[in-house]
Amino acid sequence: MKLPRDWLKELELLVWRFAHLGIGPDLAGMTVCELAGLYAYLARLAATGR
């Protein structure tokens, strides 16, 4: 999966959208690879409309 240029901004919006998952507090301790994986997961969740 190729990440969009502003994927970190999109990740922030996705984390807000899925705040009920409780991911927000953990973002600061994640590596770039983990953040990219989280972005991919949340983007798929958003695409399915959940």
Side-chain angles (χ1 to χ4, degrees):
M1 173 182 192
K2 184 172 177 166
L3 295 173
R5 184 171 205 169
D6 56 350
W7 69 275
L8 285 174
K9 280 186 183 177
E10 290 185 30
L11 176 59
E12 183 179 5
L13 295 173
L14 287 167
V15 168
W16 275 93
R17 179 174 175 185
F18 295 103
H20 62 279
L21 297 176
I23 301 167
D26 299 324
L27 291 177
M30 290 183 164
T31 65
V32 174
C33 290
E34 291 169 332
L35 291 171
L38 178 61
Y39 171 78
Y41 173 70
L42 293 179
R44 286 188 196 125
L45 268 179
T48 61
R50 293 186 179 192

